[in-house]
Amino acid sequence: MSRQVYLGKLVLHWCDSCNVPVLGKKCSRCGSPTRYVDCTPPGDVRPAFPFDVDLINKSIEESFGHPDLIPGDKLVVLNKAPYEDRLDEVFVDGRMFGAVRFDPFRLKWMFMPRAFAAKQMKVTKGFVIADKGAEKPLLGSSNLLGPGVVDCDEDIKIDDEVIVFLEGRPIAVGRAKMTGADMRERKKGVAVKVRWNGYDDAPVLKGGQTWQDAIDANREYLMSVEGEALGFIKRVAGQYGLPVTVSYSGGKDSLATLLLVKKAVPDFEVLYVNTGLEFAETTQNVYDVIEKYGLKLKKAEAESFWDAAPHFGPPSVEARWCCKVCKLGPITSLIENSYADGCLTFIGQRRYESEVRAKSQRVWQNPWVGNQISASPIQHWTALHIWLYLFKENAPYNPLYERGFDRIGCWLCPSASLADYEFVKANYPDMWKRWEGFLIDYGKKVGYPPEYVKYGLWRWKRLPNKWEELRKTLGIELKRPEAREEPLSFSMVSGYRPCKDGSATAEGSFNVPLDLERIRPYMRPVGNVKEADGMLYISRNGGSVQAYATGTVVARAQDKEKASELMSLAEKSIRRGMLCVGCGVCVGACPINAITKEGHRVTVSEACTSCGECIEKCPLIKFKREA
């Protein structure tokens, strides 16, 4: 596992009398004190749906031979723990039952049991029987050595999850470091690398609980957090005096936020951006929620991701240009066209989601969306708060949560896990086939082998340590081609030349002819634009740029440094004009609202002061493709 990350208070407790999870120290259902349940930070615990329980049971049966270990009449809670891919700690009866992880090497789900689960199993596979003499070392957290093995499942493979028994009781669990055949021969060396050890005498509680029981047990806590959130919404709405909106994505967090705003504010509108990468169920959920609650919807359609991807390459964890092009640009344009003075938007952001969000203020302004004030009434809620609240309100949540999807959003997001992609492949094979085809074609151009797609290595420009180790273990090599053709490249032709009057001239060239009509609006932020036959002439602060239809660009200024600066602005602006995907980010970047967008075309009015703010904010400049 990775390092522990504390993003907020760990809140999971359990009422043993009612056998339900509780968010605090007292059960509202029976009045009994609760038991604190230790889980790995950040502790963003959530309910397990029947699909999740079935997946866990199948992974247990595959590894240890016991079918349907977790009964269907018990409430199961999952906690996503830090891991290179996806790992969920599993809690049953308020006890750590084990963890289910998606193995990025084997590309399958595997169960890592704790003693509380192991003692309830009839194990026929994955077992190791230890010698009595190994008891003291094992209880002292030592690994099990080969000579300490009495018997085992002969089919155990290296790195399989195994349970160590001593005199019929599970004493340790861990990962095999020998094959079953070698263990039986009692070869020297580590047979099992122990992860958890110790006997478990905790009682197995009776089932029969429902999530309504959990709602009743948490009634006081839900009333408290709801009241605080409603007060926050009213206070912020009164403070800013802007039109109130809710950003709804079709996910659980934004749904809880929407319900809270509906109770606190009499009049608001819902904003939805269809990024073009949403699941059909997500878009349908948006319309269902709008209809159920009789709300007003303002929708923005993003420009095509598939048109932009060839210019940028695949989005990565370090450079998620897709968010700027497919989400922030459209929402900026939507707000610009709907609210003259901007708006206040309540957003379903929570601190438990990431370190970045944990450090975020509860009210903030996104630098990419200058006409929007954002606020989160659920900043301090865990996923369990969210789900219990949605269950209590009988809210129409997205059905994808019941089919294994932990996160709802763009289905090819580079921040998703391999486990998430497996669900996409299984449920939407045609969608995944298109993306996989794009990645393979892109890989051929930049030297990525097919395994870079199979194991999701395309998600990073620079692989994290664990994934770099995986790449080496799998023997995946990255061989960049010596030369490759750029869709639009720029190079200096003759450097900077001094002129007799002390000024300097620079000349460069693009690898393709320039569409002067297309790029003209994008040159206005550089300076005053005039057009001549086959050329644009741009003047700025005593300097000038000449952009020719042939692709040649000439910049002249008082000295070499200013000529270099002017050439850089011209090169970036021409790139914007030639490759613009119509995202609209520049609209929100303009401090004086001099930029408007209709369809794929940008218009810059005479009010433009050539400040250049929009140039650096353009995703084409910020996320210029590197491969």
Side-chain angles (χ1 to χ4, degrees):
M1 286 187 198
S2 305
R3 67 185 178 93
Q4 293 190 344
V5 180
Y6 289 86
L7 304 181
K9 183 179 179 181
L10 302 180
V11 300
L12 182 59
H13 292 71
W14 208 271
C15 176
D16 290 328
S17 299
C18 299
N19 197 15
V20 296
V22 182
L23 295 166
K25 297 180 180 180
K26 182 181 178 181
C27 176
S28 299
R29 184 169 183 260
C30 70
S32 300
T34 61
R35 170 173 49 85
Y36 173 72
V37 179
D38 191 23
C39 61
T40 301
D44 197 23
V45 291
R46 67 189 190 281
F49 289 100
F51 181 98
D52 301 309
V53 175
D54 187 51
L55 185 151
I56 295 165
N57 278 336
K58 285 180 179 177
S59 65
I60 293 172
E61 182 175 9
E62 182 177 350
S63 296
F64 304 106
H66 190 122
D68 301 323
L69 180 63
I70 302 176
D73 65 344
K74 284 193 175 182
L75 302 189
V76 180
V77 172
L78 305 178
N79 175 47
K80 182 187 286 187
Y83 177 62
E84 51 259 37
D85 199 69
R86 181 167 160 183
L87 183 149
D88 289 325
E89 294 176 334
V90 182
F91 295 89
V92 182
D93 295 343
R95 307 284 175 183
M96 172 68 88
F97 201 72
V100 61
R101 67 182 175 91
F102 189 80
D103 188 319
F105 185 85
R106 302 188 189 192
L107 297 178
K108 71 173 189 176
W109 289 94
M110 302 184 72
F111 185 72
M112 304 184 296
R114 281 282 187 99
F116 186 66
K119 73 178 183 179
Q120 300 179 53
M121 293 185 196
K122 293 181 180 178
V123 179
T124 60
K125 298 191 292 184
F127 63 88
V128 178
I129 300 174
D131 183 88
K132 180 65 176 176
E135 180 176 31
K136 187 174 181 180
L138 286 173
L139 291 177
S141 299
S142 294
N143 294 322
L144 178 63
L145 302 179
V149 176
V150 174
D151 194 12
C152 69
D153 174 10
E154 192 171 17
D155 293 329
I156 289 174
K157 299 179 181 62
I158 292 176
D159 284 338
D160 277 357
E161 301 293 337
V162 297
I163 302 173
V164 180
F165 290 87
L166 197 152
E167 297 183 336
R169 295 182 69 191
I171 185 174
V173 295
R175 195 172 295 186
K177 291 302 172 186
M178 286 184 185
T179 64
D182 287 343
M183 288 187 200
R184 283 193 169 186
E185 292 183 16
R186 308 184 76 170
K187 289 186 175 181
K188 292 183 179 181
V190 176
V192 179
K193 185 176 182 179
V194 172
R195 182 183 295 108
W196 295 309
N197 66 308
Y199 299 114
D200 191 294
D201 297 317
V204 177
L205 305 180
K206 292 183 179 180
Q209 296 78 33
T210 67
W211 283 106
Q212 182 58 52
D213 296 329
I215 293 169
D216 295 339
N218 286 277
R219 188 180 302 108
E220 293 180 12
Y221 299 101
L222 294 176
M223 288 176 61
S224 176
V225 296
E226 180 189 57
E228 191 282 332
L230 295 178
F232 170 80
I233 293 168
K234 293 175 183 178
R235 184 169 62 254
V236 173
Q239 177 183 349
Y240 285 94
L242 291 170
V244 175
T245 61
V246 174
S247 177
Y248 188 57
S249 66
K252 67 183 191 304
D253 297 337
S254 59
L255 179 55
T257 300
L258 186 150
L259 296 181
L260 290 166
V261 174
K262 184 175 182 294
K263 291 185 178 184
V265 179
D267 186 33
F268 68 94
E269 293 180 317
V270 178
L271 308 180
Y272 170 60
V273 177
N274 186 346
T275 64
L277 298 172
E278 309 295 335
F279 296 106
E281 291 86 345
T282 298
T283 302
Q284 185 59 51
N285 175 260
V286 173
Y287 294 128
D288 290 345
V289 167
I290 294 299
E291 182 178 0
K292 177 179 175 67
Y293 297 110
L295 303 173
K296 292 174 285 187
L297 174 67
K298 286 189 178 294
K299 185 179 73 169
E301 298 282 351
E303 303 298 334
S304 176
F305 169 87
W306 302 101
D307 290 339
H311 300 308
F312 292 102
S316 66
V317 171
E318 304 95 327
R320 293 195 301 174
W321 60 262
C322 44
C323 290
K324 311 301 184 291
V325 170
C326 300
K327 186 176 294 184
L328 297 183
I331 195 66
T332 298
S333 297
L334 178 63
I335 293 172
E336 189 76 18
N337 295 327
S338 303
Y339 310 101
D341 298 318
C343 67
L344 169 66
T345 303
F346 289 100
I347 295 176
Q349 174 177 294
R350 299 185 298 108
R351 66 184 305 160
Y352 289 89
E353 296 176 279
S354 69
E355 290 186 74
V356 172
R357 293 192 170 185
K359 297 175 182 177
S360 172
Q361 298 295 316
R362 207 173 178 188
V363 180
W364 72 97
Q365 186 167 11
N366 191 318
W368 291 86
V369 188
N371 49 6
Q372 179 188 54
I373 300 295
S374 302
S376 175
I378 60 167
Q379 178 76 353
H380 307 302
W381 291 27
T382 68
L384 187 57
H385 286 86
I386 297 291
W387 280 114
L388 289 175
Y389 189 70
L390 295 182
F391 292 161
K392 179 179 77 72
E393 297 292 322
N394 195 28
Y397 57 82
N398 196 317
L400 290 176
Y401 288 113
E402 296 184 350
R403 288 160 52 186
F405 290 86
D406 171 51
R407 60 190 304 279
I408 304 297
C410 300
W411 56 268
L412 49 72
C413 180
S415 295
S417 65
L418 285 179
D420 294 326
Y421 297 149
E422 289 300 314
F423 287 133
V424 176
K425 291 180 190 178
N427 289 274
Y428 308 94
D430 291 340
M431 287 164 47
W432 186 258
K433 185 177 180 180
R434 182 181 185 184
W435 179 232
E436 188 176 51
F438 172 83
L439 291 173
I440 291 173
D441 288 343
Y442 177 81
K444 291 176 181 177
K445 295 176 183 176
V446 300
Y448 289 165
E451 290 81 8
Y452 248 68
V453 179
K454 180 178 180 180
Y455 293 97
L457 303 182
W458 57 268
R459 293 173 290 172
W460 296 276
K461 290 184 179 296
R462 182 175 181 179
L463 294 176
N465 292 336
K466 288 287 186 181
W467 290 91
E468 178 63 16
E469 292 173 12
L470 174 69
R471 182 192 67 77
K472 292 178 179 177
T473 301
L474 293 168
I476 301 173
E477 297 294 333
L478 174 60
K479 297 180 180 179
R480 296 189 183 279
E482 293 183 4
R484 60 187 177 87
E485 183 180 350
E486 288 280 3
L488 183 66
S489 61
F490 179 77
S491 59
M492 295 297 292
V493 174
S494 55
Y496 298 91
R497 301 194 305 272
C499 301
K500 291 181 180 181
D501 61 0
S503 63
T505 301
E507 184 176 326
S509 181
F510 284 90
N511 63 330
V512 297
L514 302 181
D515 185 338
L516 298 184
E517 182 180 356
R518 180 177 177 85
I519 69 173
R520 177 169 181 161
Y522 301 85
M523 303 307 292
R524 185 70 184 85
V526 178
N528 185 43
V529 183
K530 294 181 180 180
E531 187 169 0
D533 187 26
M535 179 191 75
L536 293 179
Y537 180 88
I538 305 98
S539 57
R540 178 187 178 94
N541 298 333
S544 65
V545 174
Q546 297 171 49
Y548 294 88
T550 58
T552 299
V553 182
V554 179
R556 183 171 181 172
Q558 293 129 324
D559 52 45
K560 177 180 176 180
E561 288 71 26
K562 293 191 181 300
S564 174
E565 178 184 341
L566 193 53
M567 180 63 87
S568 176
L569 288 174
E571 186 262 324
K572 292 174 180 177
S573 297
I574 292 170
R575 183 177 297 278
R576 290 178 64 202
M578 293 289 287
L579 301 179
C580 179
V581 295
C583 68
V585 165
C586 58
V587 175
C590 181
I592 61 171
N593 300 318
I595 305 176
T596 57
K597 182 181 80 75
E598 293 184 11
H600 292 275
R601 297 188 65 84
V602 165
T603 300
V604 182
S605 75
E606 292 298 321
C608 176
T609 61
S610 303
C611 68
E613 286 288 326
C614 60
I615 298 175
E616 296 300 330
K617 287 289 179 68
C618 177
L620 283 162
I621 305 306
K622 186 174 178 63
F623 302 112
K624 182 180 177 182
R625 192 173 86 179
E626 297 176 4

